[in-house]
Amino acid sequence: MDAMAHTFRESGARVLVEDLTVLTTDSAAMGQIIGNLLSNSIKYLQPQRPGVITISGQSDSRLKQVILEIKDNGRGISEQDIHKIFSLFQRVGKQDQPGEGMGLSYVRTLVTRLGGKITCQSILGQGSTFTVIFPMDPPRNNHHEERNTR
């Protein structure tokens, strides 16, 4: 959040951080996952309405999962394009922002490496919600520093 504070101010978007939970995982990878999702939320805001981005997290001890959601009120993604967004070099919708179509593919790769999965629900013209689900007990096969991330 601190690294993106300037971007948030410039966009005029309100970023609301709701309840979060602790997750022991690769902190560098989590920074890249959340940073990319937030960056996309800012990049694809609707210019005619104030942007609102909400970050929330919860744990489900029964399923042994931690669930992170990043929700925005931006442009949204059409139903026929949702299946394309995590593919490498795929961009959807209006092409008026810089990018190569690699960000969400990279995010999915990082999430998968951490034992998780990512989904997107979106309504064109209303916004998107990215849901990332991680196991409470992370895989131990990475070489990055693990620490509690909140």
Side-chain angles (χ1 to χ4, degrees):
M1 294 294 293
D2 292 340
M4 296 188 69
H6 178 72
T7 305
F8 296 143
R9 277 192 304 276
E10 277 189 346
S11 73
R14 277 189 312 142
V15 179
L16 309 172
V17 180
E18 295 183 345
D19 289 339
L20 294 175
T21 189
V22 173
L23 173 64
T24 302
T25 192
D26 180 336
S27 61
M30 280 302 293
Q32 291 172 344
I33 291 166
I34 294 170
N36 188 287
L37 293 173
L38 289 174
S39 177
N40 280 355
S41 289
I42 297 280
K43 190 187 290 189
Y44 298 109
L45 288 172
Q46 288 278 36
Q48 61 270 37
R49 72 172 167 248
V52 178
I53 301 165
T54 305
I55 305 166
S56 62
Q58 62 185 17
S59 57
D60 184 329
S61 56
R62 186 179 60 79
L63 295 176
K64 297 185 186 240
Q65 297 176 330
V66 173
I67 302 156
L68 172 71
E69 279 192 350
I70 297 181
K71 180 178 182 173
D72 66 56
N73 68 338
R75 296 180 185 180
I77 303 162
S78 70
E79 189 175 336
Q80 70 249 24
D81 286 338
I82 286 283
H83 72 280
K84 299 176 189 175
I85 64 172
F86 295 109
S87 297
L88 191 58
F89 304 120
Q90 289 291 313
R91 298 188 69 202
V92 300
K94 189 176 178 182
Q95 302 297 308
D96 62 343
Q97 296 294 322
E100 302 298 324
M102 297 187 306
L104 288 176
S105 176
Y106 180 59
V107 165
R108 184 180 63 181
T109 298
L110 289 172
V111 168
T112 301
R113 185 175 63 82
L114 297 176
K117 65 181 182 176
I118 183 169
T119 61
C120 176
Q121 292 182 328
S122 189
I123 299 173
L124 190 60
Q126 294 184 27
S128 301
T129 301
F130 285 86
T131 304
V132 188
I133 301 172
F134 293 105
M136 281 184 177
D137 299 319
R140 297 283 178 189
N141 60 357
N142 61 56
H143 303 289
H144 298 281
E145 175 187 349
E146 286 189 0
R147 67 176 191 201
N148 290 339
T149 304
R150 184 174 173 157

